[in-house]
Amino acid sequence: MRILHTSDWHIGRTFHGHSTLDALAEVLHALVAQVREHEVDVVIVAGDVFDSATPAASAYTLLDEALLALHATGATVIVTSGNHDSAARLGFHSRLLRDGIHVLTDPRAIATPVTVHDEHGPVQFFGIPYLEPAIVRQHWVDADGAGPTLRTQAQTMAHAMDLVRAGMDAHPGRSVAVAHCFAAGVDATVGLEREVRQGGLDVVPLTTFDGPDYVALGHIHGRQQLSDRVRYSGAPLHYSFGEQHKERGSWLVELDAEGLVSTEWIALPVPRPLVTLTGTLDEILAHPDAAQYAESWVCAVYTDAVPQHEPMRRLRERFPFCAMVQHAPAERTDAAEHSYAQRLRTAVTDTDRIEAFLVHVRAGHGPTERESELIREVLDDRVRAEALV
């Protein structure tokens, strides 16, 4: 059996204010072609199908088109929900979907697999939707209100995998688990979800996933191999400049009669490459490869000592798809190490206060000689005006 493992489509996400629907549609079209080319039997989408719990109508349209196209290849499609999805909305039409498309969003059904047969017998697919402990613990209490302790996602995922292993005992055959979480062993430097970076890491130990022949994970936007049989596929598009060096693609997984045989990375096209250019604003504008980056998303990090006038407008004249500008001075003076409040405490005159402000907003660089002259002229004019009142 051949399985294609993908995840984190994030349908509806914008990239620095720009829609990604057309780009994602192009990539998913390529993914469908790969499913047909490699004669894939099962396609797994491991959570975060949508980017929002309330996706726009256009997002639903793209999902419908993608699922129908995948179904038309003859593959079975298995979808689970992620932390960005509304499990209720994503699963609303699950009973109405045609045979061969399964949307698994109910935590109460974790132990009940989707069974797909090949020449070697059944393969059991167990879908674990994203589990928020405070929300899902109610599903696993008895009549007396007793149940497992589920305060963290690690504890909740451990309980879910116990249910999977119970399901494996009840449904013999090879097995695949699908989940959406942050697992121990992930490279945490790039490709993390916004919420993971901001809210901290609730790490699920790798041993939690013992049992199945393969575990298809979602939640991390760069591909990761935690073991031969536990992997992240990452997102099909680059959704931040921090992901720009991560390949986009899916894992092609093959099972034989005994279980996992092989995994192969299948790369996806990148509709618009991402590039980060660093230097002074003039250096970036005069970059020798500017023509090469004319069709790329550009992040410009300019290192001038002081902020430049209208940098985005000037950059877009050179790079039409400049999406982000950052000011990162190459050098900071000793004055930049003091807080604004500290500098104000030592300021005596209005000139001192203005200079303290300029040092604060210019990474330690005070007024130029010409600016100092203008400041003195303005302050002198103010004193003369007050004297006439």
Side-chain angles (χ1 to χ4, degrees):
M1 179 175 292
R2 288 184 175 178
I3 303 164
L4 194 76
H5 167 199
T6 178
S7 73
D8 294 272
W9 289 3
H10 285 281
I11 303 174
R13 174 171 285 194
T14 58
F15 181 79
H16 295 277
H18 301 271
S19 172
T20 62
L21 279 178
D22 289 344
L24 183 57
E26 178 183 338
V27 171
L28 293 180
H29 179 76
L31 185 143
V32 171
Q34 292 174 349
V35 169
R36 185 174 288 107
E37 174 188 352
H38 294 281
E39 299 180 335
V40 170
D41 301 295
V42 179
V43 176
I44 291 171
V45 186
D48 277 357
V49 178
F50 293 119
D51 190 57
S52 166
T54 55
S58 55
Y60 279 106
T61 298
L62 178 54
L63 176 62
D64 289 346
E65 291 173 349
L67 293 180
L68 290 175
L70 288 169
H71 181 268
T73 67
T76 297
V77 184
I78 298 175
V79 180
T80 61
S81 53
N83 57 302
H84 278 252
D85 300 308
S86 163
R89 286 189 174 89
L90 186 60
F92 179 74
H93 296 293
S94 59
R95 293 184 180 180
L96 306 178
L97 291 170
R98 63 191 64 194
D99 291 341
I101 301 178
H102 306 269
V103 180
L104 310 179
T105 63
D106 187 352
R108 296 167 296 184
I110 287 174
T112 304
V114 172
T115 303
V116 182
H117 290 83
D118 65 5
E119 66 270 25
H120 302 299
V123 178
Q124 314 293 355
F125 291 84
F126 296 90
I128 304 175
Y130 179 76
L131 302 174
E132 186 64 49
I135 296 174
V136 302
R137 67 167 67 104
Q138 62 178 317
H139 299 310
W140 297 310
V141 296
D142 57 27
D144 297 325
T149 300
L150 304 178
R151 294 191 179 92
T152 67
Q153 195 177 53
Q155 293 171 332
T156 308
M157 186 60 69
H159 180 69
M161 284 303 300
D162 286 342
L163 295 175
V164 168
R165 285 183 282 269
M168 290 168 58
D169 291 339
H171 302 85
R174 296 152 293 165
S175 58
V176 174
V178 186
H180 195 88
C181 65
F182 186 87
V186 167
D187 177 3
T189 58
V190 291
L192 291 188
E193 283 275 14
R194 297 183 300 242
E195 292 76 11
V196 172
R197 292 197 302 270
Q198 294 170 357
L201 306 179
D202 189 355
V203 178
V204 179
L206 190 56
T207 54
T208 300
F209 302 105
D210 288 350
D213 294 287
Y214 183 77
V215 180
L217 296 179
H219 199 35
I220 304 302
H221 288 189
R223 71 173 183 180
Q224 301 268 340
Q225 177 182 335
L226 307 188
S227 73
D228 287 343
R229 59 180 193 83
V230 182
R231 298 170 186 254
Y232 287 94
S233 64
L237 273 185
H238 292 110
Y239 288 115
S240 75
F241 282 101
E243 303 171 16
Q244 70 186 70
H245 300 300
K246 289 286 185 179
E247 289 187 68
R248 305 288 88 169
S250 309
W251 290 111
L252 181 63
V253 180
E254 188 162 356
L255 304 180
D256 67 2
E258 302 301 320
L260 182 64
V261 174
S262 65
T263 53
E264 179 186 355
W265 179 251
I266 307 295
L268 284 167
V270 177
R272 193 179 300 285
L274 281 67
V275 62
T276 299
L277 303 178
T278 303
T280 67
L281 186 58
D282 286 342
E283 289 171 347
I284 294 174
L285 291 171
H287 198 285
D289 297 322
Q292 174 185 338
Y293 300 135
E295 297 299 319
S296 300
W297 290 120
V298 171
C299 171
V301 181
Y302 72 93
T303 59
D304 300 74
V306 298
Q308 298 298 293
H309 182 62
E310 296 186 331
M312 179 62 86
R313 179 190 62 77
R314 295 166 63 187
L315 285 161
R316 283 186 173 168
E317 290 176 354
R318 189 66 164 157
F319 307 101
F321 296 98
C322 182
M324 185 176 182
V325 178
Q326 295 179 337
H327 179 218
E331 296 180 1
R332 298 177 66 88
T333 68
D334 292 340
E337 302 303 321
H338 300 288
S339 71
Y340 185 38
Q342 288 172 328
R343 286 191 292 271
L344 281 180
R345 279 197 292 268
T346 62
V348 177
T349 66
D350 288 342
T351 301
D352 294 335
R353 296 184 185 95
I354 294 172
E355 180 176 340
F357 173 76
L358 291 175
V359 169
H360 174 63
V361 298
R362 290 177 170 181
H365 293 272
T368 64
E369 184 176 343
R370 175 54 183 154
E371 288 170 339
S372 295
E373 293 176 2
L374 290 173
I375 292 169
R376 286 194 296 270
E377 289 176 8
V378 170
L379 292 177
D380 289 345
D381 287 344
R382 189 197 67 178
V383 170
R384 284 192 292 270
E386 289 175 351
L388 296 174
V389 175

